[in-house]
Amino acid sequence: MTRIALLGATGSIGRQAIEIVAAHPGLELVAAASGSTGIEGLAPLTQTGGDLTELLEAAQPDVVLNAVVGFAGVGATLWALEHGVTLALANKESLVAAGDLALAARERGGGLLLPVDSEHSALFQCLEGRRDVELDSIVLTASGGPFRGRSRDELAEVTVGEALAHPTWTMGRKITIDSATLANKGLELIEAHVLFGLPYDRIDVVVHPTSVVHALVRFRDGAAIAHLGLPDMRVPISFALTYPERAATPVPRLDLAAGLTLEFEAPDLDAFPLLALARAAGEEGGTKPCAYNAANEVAVTAFLDGRLPFLGIAETVERVLRDADGSPARDLDDLREADAEARRLAEGALAAA
Ligand code: NAD
Ligand code: MG
């Protein structure tokens, strides 16, 4: 039996994870947590709000599935890595904010870090058994979101409802807005850098509207290996929870004979500046990625609350990145301070706008 602690159990990933666990006789939920909705009875140990590491200490799981949204997941990510407990990671924000601390914790803990984000799960699978020297570069695909093809001017008036209408994935509200701004791909770029250790100039992003190709790895011999599948998060969730096995899932097979066209195009960095801002923050390093994430979280909340126009999200993040100190965090306290400082700067930028 694999004993799983599911954090973020009421969310989009959390609910799909419950379905995967229920269908697999070798998987068992021993603990579950949510942010605000009660989940009593879902697992022997449950918690709503509070310090997630207390729940993990009590549960001593084999696998932590971190499907919390936002920086709130950082303590659980570092706990799992530090304790050598397998971390199935959906909560990309924690790896973006705490990249260096996470790598150091994984080094000490010696456990597995299995990405649940579909692109990174795909990359992990394409890279399995390969040596670094064989690698040329990796490619993340982006659906382009609901506003693909629009110019910057055409984005000025878009509404929350339009931004929440994602063409290929059904997800929580925060990541859906991030997909509309391409901040999601920006976060994923930094996530890929942390996970796979490649410099930013060897990580590309390409827009692929149907989300069938999740990622590609280019090798030095000129071959590229791509990972294909219908856009369904149950596949990477199942992969991470049953690794190194591949368990059966109820996800429909790809029907190639029905006609499958694979289109790719370059992202429009002028209309969607959050992608380029993420690359710059990642290259600067230190706590700049943490500031990028924090500012984005504040700005997305303000957009969802109707306090900020769509283009204001990128403007807020850009200002915060300019003003944030960015010096590296020695520990989690430092990181929390950098996160809080970036949030203060973002709120200041909102108030001034
Ligand atoms: P969601 O908003 O649907 O769910 C978030 C969950 O986190 C909820 O259960 C909520 O109660 C919980 N939560 C929030 N704050 C918490 C706190 N302080 N303590 C404990 N629990 C807390 O979000 P989602 O779409 O499921 O996304 C979750 C994470 O997975 C995000 O980091 C997202 O980027 C990532 N992700 C999601 C998808 C997807 O298809 N939904 C795909 C790839 C990656
Ligand atoms: Mg993704």
Side-chain angles (χ1 to χ4, degrees), residues 92 117-120 141 169 175 184-185 188 191 233:
K92 65 191 86 184
D117 213 348
S118 56
E119 298 78 2
H120 305 73
T141 58
W169 296 96
I175 184 175
N184 183 50
K185 217 47 58 176
E188 290 185 357
E191 181 186 15
M233 289 307 294

Side-chain angles (χ1 to χ4, degrees), residues 8-14 16 33-36 49-50 52 67-70 72 90-93 117-118 169-173 175 184 233:
T10 55
S12 163
I13 295 288
Q16 295 177 82
S34 74
S36 53
L52 293 168
V68 169
V69 60
N91 175 245
K92 65 191 86 184
E93 295 93 342
D117 213 348
S118 56
W169 296 96
T170 308
M171 311 177 286
R173 284 158 65 87
I175 184 175
N184 183 50
M233 289 307 294

Side-chain angles (χ1 to χ4, degrees), residues 74-346:
V74 75
T77 286
L78 293 176
W79 185 94
L81 293 171
E82 193 74 55
H83 288 79
V85 174
T86 298
L87 175 61
L89 185 67
N91 175 245
K92 65 191 86 184
E93 295 93 342
S94 59
L95 209 59
V96 168
D100 295 337
L101 295 179
L103 291 178
R106 181 173 66 168
E107 187 74 29
R108 289 190 295 269
L112 276 174
L113 170 47
L114 299 168
V116 171
D117 213 348
S118 56
E119 298 78 2
H120 305 73
S121 176
L123 289 168
F124 180 92
Q125 294 171 51
C126 294
L127 286 166
E128 265 197 301
R130 292 288 148 207
R131 291 174 302 136
D132 287 352
V133 64
E134 300 169 20
L135 260 186
D136 172 64
S137 54
I138 60 183
V139 184
L140 299 165
T141 58
S143 72
F147 304 135
R148 181 176 60 87
R150 296 208 198 178
S151 69
R152 194 178 161 76
D153 287 347
E154 290 168 331
L155 292 173
E157 305 287 325
V158 298
T159 65
V160 171
E162 290 169 319
L164 285 174
H166 195 276
T168 53
W169 296 96
T170 308
M171 311 177 286
R173 284 158 65 87
K174 193 264 179 180
I175 184 175
T176 303
I177 300 304
D178 285 348
S179 300
T181 62
L182 290 200
N184 183 50
K185 217 47 58 176
L187 294 168
E188 290 185 357
L189 176 70
I190 300 172
E191 181 186 15
H193 169 80
V194 177
L195 282 169
F196 304 113
L198 282 182
Y200 284 95
D201 61 3
R202 291 168 64 196
I203 310 175
D204 294 337
V205 173
V206 67
V207 172
H208 168 52
T210 52
S211 305
V212 168
V213 176
H214 300 129
L216 303 91
V217 177
R218 298 193 192 102
F219 293 96
R220 63 178 171 182
D221 59 0
I225 296 184
H227 182 288
L228 283 75
L230 294 175
D232 191 316
M233 289 307 294
R234 290 175 300 178
V235 178
I237 292 168
S238 175
F239 182 84
L241 294 183
T242 63
Y243 183 82
E245 284 175 29
R246 265 180 202 277
T249 75
V251 174
R253 310 294 94 150
L254 257 190
D255 186 355
L256 300 174
L260 184 66
T261 45
L262 300 180
E263 291 176 82
F264 300 92
E265 65 196 39
D268 180 346
L269 299 179
D270 180 53
F272 302 100
L274 279 158
L275 181 53
L277 287 170
R279 196 175 277 281
E283 274 169 351
E284 275 193 70
T287 48
K288 289 283 184 178
C290 174
Y292 174 93
N293 176 66
N296 183 58
E297 285 190 33
V298 170
V300 168
T301 301
F303 172 69
L304 285 169
D305 293 347
R307 288 186 287 133
L308 187 69
F310 186 78
L311 292 175
I313 302 174
E315 286 160 14
T316 304
V317 173
E318 185 170 16
R319 264 184 86 149
V320 171
L321 283 175
R322 208 169 45 220
D323 296 343
D325 152 57
S327 48
R330 286 156 302 181
D331 52 27
L332 185 52
D333 285 344
D334 271 7
L335 191 74
R336 288 193 199 284
E337 182 43 46
D339 172 77
E341 172 64 9
R343 282 169 202 270
R344 279 192 292 275
L345 290 169

